[in-house]
Amino acid sequence: MTNAPEPLSLVLVGPMASGKTSVGRRVARRLGVPFIDTDKRIVAEHGPIPAIFAEHGEPHFRELERAAVAHALREGGVISLGGGAVTDAETRHLLRSQPVVFLTVSEEAVADRLRGGTRPLLAGDDPVERWKRIFAERRGWYEEVASASFDTSRRPMQRIADEIVAWRREQG
Ligand code: S3P
């Protein structure tokens, strides 16, 4: 009897606009596993993120996010988390012993990606300045939960995805 290889799962974390969704989709396709974006799951169940923040506040969003992460981890696949998921201690606890990849991006590269966005935490003047401050506050948490990091600033997303797939396969 031959055993089919275990499907390879992994989690992507990183700041807003670091490419988690674009890279994640490609990694999932290459690994032949489902792609799960926890933000999309939250929106599908609870409506748009800016409305959740406005009506119920960020702590409520973090609770919904924690539940979405727990659910996604039970299902398996390539799981992309919102940039702030790591701010929640229980969510960080859920990520222990998971293969977690931290996507980094430079300030210069992020400026273009943030144009025209609707992220509530970047609303107002100078979204890049806000992004920088938030990233600086969270960097330690990304490093705490992740076992590898890849920079998405300048290279084609497919190349980065291929490197992550190679890394994941090495982990076994
Ligand atoms: C957030 C990031 C967003 C989304 C929400 C809050 C954050 O996801 O979860 O707006 O706190 O950094 P992306 O990282 O996909 O933008």
Side-chain angles (χ1 to χ4, degrees):
M1 200 175 84
T2 55
N3 287 326
E6 276 281 298
L8 295 176
S9 283
L10 66 88
V11 180
L12 292 170
V13 299
M16 292 176 266
S18 57
K20 299 181 294 287
T21 303
S22 333
V23 171
R25 254 186 233 299
R26 288 171 171 83
V27 172
R29 206 174 300 140
R30 280 273 202 275
L31 288 175
V33 300
F35 173 68
I36 303 175
D37 180 326
T38 56
D39 276 345
K40 289 236 163 63
R41 289 257 172 111
I42 296 168
V43 171
E45 256 189 78
H46 305 279
I49 292 173
I52 301 174
F53 270 70
E55 287 161 28
H56 304 285
E58 183 175 346
H60 179 68
F61 176 77
R62 296 298 166 211
E63 277 175 32
L64 300 178
E65 184 170 53
R66 187 192 312 135
V69 172
H71 194 253
L73 289 173
R74 284 195 296 274
E75 287 178 35
V78 172
I79 303 163
S80 161
L81 306 193
V86 296
T87 62
D88 185 88
E90 285 182 48
T91 299
R92 292 200 300 281
H93 187 77
L94 291 171
L95 297 178
R96 275 192 207 155
S97 77
Q98 297 286 334
V100 179
V101 168
F102 169 24
L103 294 184
T104 61
V105 60
S106 68
E107 291 163 26
E108 295 72 34
V110 98
D112 267 349
R113 298 186 197 171
L114 294 180
R115 249 181 273 286
T118 59
R119 293 174 174 101
L121 293 179
L122 302 180
D125 290 343
D126 210 342
V128 177
E129 206 42 55
R130 285 171 196 263
W131 180 92
K132 281 185 345 197
R133 184 176 43 72
I134 294 170
F135 185 29
E137 283 166 11
R138 296 174 175 172
R139 183 183 273 278
W141 283 320
Y142 295 126
E143 287 169 353
E144 175 191 317
V145 297
S147 34
S149 84
F150 295 84
D151 189 73
T152 71
S153 306
R154 305 168 75 85
R155 294 158 328 132
M157 292 293 177
Q158 189 59 56
R159 177 109 50 90
I160 301 157
D162 289 344
E163 287 180 15
I164 294 173
V165 168
W167 170 82
R168 183 64 187 88
R169 289 195 167 126
E170 273 171 30
Q171 308 293 300

